[in-house]
Every structure is written in structure tokens, then in C-alpha cells.
Amino acid sequence: GDDDSDYHDREPIGGTYAKLSNFETAGKAVCSKLREFTAKIIKCCNDIVLELVANKAKETDTISGDNEYKDLKRLETECEEWIKTANMLIQEAGERAISHLKTPTS
């Protein structure tokens, strides 16, 4: 018909909104995997730090792993920042796509 004002609100089956939903689902899965890998990496690094500190203690009769623990904490913080950044990028990309879909084209 002559009235195309609601054209942008319609979507064929399997269309853009479905693809956007798949994008968001995939994005959440990526962030979940990032969290999972981060936890594994931090655990491994923590085990390494504990071993280093134990070896230092045997060699020097003092227990000081302050630098190693600071590095480990920095790694944890950086990993968490990457996860937050990934979440924000995925959310922003989804919002932009939705905004683009709702904006009528001339």
C-alpha cells in the first residue's frame, strides 16, 4: 500500500532482529568464555606465584612474594577490565544496531 510508515517495524522470519538476537547471544557467550579462561589463567598464575614464593623461602629463609602478588593482582584487574570492555562493546554494538533499524531511511 501507500502507507510504508510501519515498514521498519516489520521483519521477515529469520530477519534482522533474529540476527541481532543471535549476535547478543554470541556476545554473551564470548564474555562467559572470557570469564572462564580468566579464572583458569589466574588459578595457574596463582599456583606459580605460590611455588615461586615457596622456593624463595627455601633459598633465603624469608618469605616475601609481594612483587609477585602485586603482579598477579594487576593481571586479575586487567583481565576483569577486558571482560568489562567486551561486555560494553557488545552492548553498544547491539544498541547501535537497534537504533539503526528503528531509524527510517529516506
Side-chain angles (χ1 to χ4, degrees):
D2 292 336
D3 185 17
D4 286 334
S5 63
D6 66 340
Y7 175 77
H8 295 286
D9 293 333
R10 287 188 251 145
E11 169 194 344
I13 295 173
T16 307
Y17 286 113
K19 290 176 188 169
L20 183 59
S21 176
N22 290 342
F23 170 78
E24 290 173 341
T25 300
K28 289 177 184 177
V30 166
C31 289
S32 176
K33 284 292 183 189
L34 276 173
R35 285 191 195 292
E36 186 179 318
F37 291 139
T38 296
K40 288 178 182 180
I41 289 169
I42 297 301
K43 183 190 178 324
C44 290
C45 290
N46 188 54
D47 292 346
I48 291 169
V49 167
L50 290 174
E51 188 175 331
L52 286 172
V53 170
N55 288 340
K56 275 187 180 181
K58 288 178 190 174
E59 293 171 6
T60 63
D61 291 331
T62 60
I63 299 175
S64 177
D66 290 343
N67 289 335
E68 289 83 358
Y69 284 114
K70 285 178 186 175
D71 288 343
L72 180 60
K73 285 297 174 192
R74 185 171 49 243
L75 175 65
E76 286 182 78
T77 301
E78 289 174 5
C79 288
E80 190 58 38
E81 290 300 317
W82 276 109
I83 294 168
K84 287 179 186 177
T85 300
N87 274 321
M88 287 175 18
L89 289 172
I90 290 165
Q91 184 177 1
E92 186 175 320
E95 289 171 0
R96 284 185 181 185
I98 289 170
S99 174
H100 178 70
L101 290 173
K102 291 183 176 181
T103 304
T105 54
S106 301

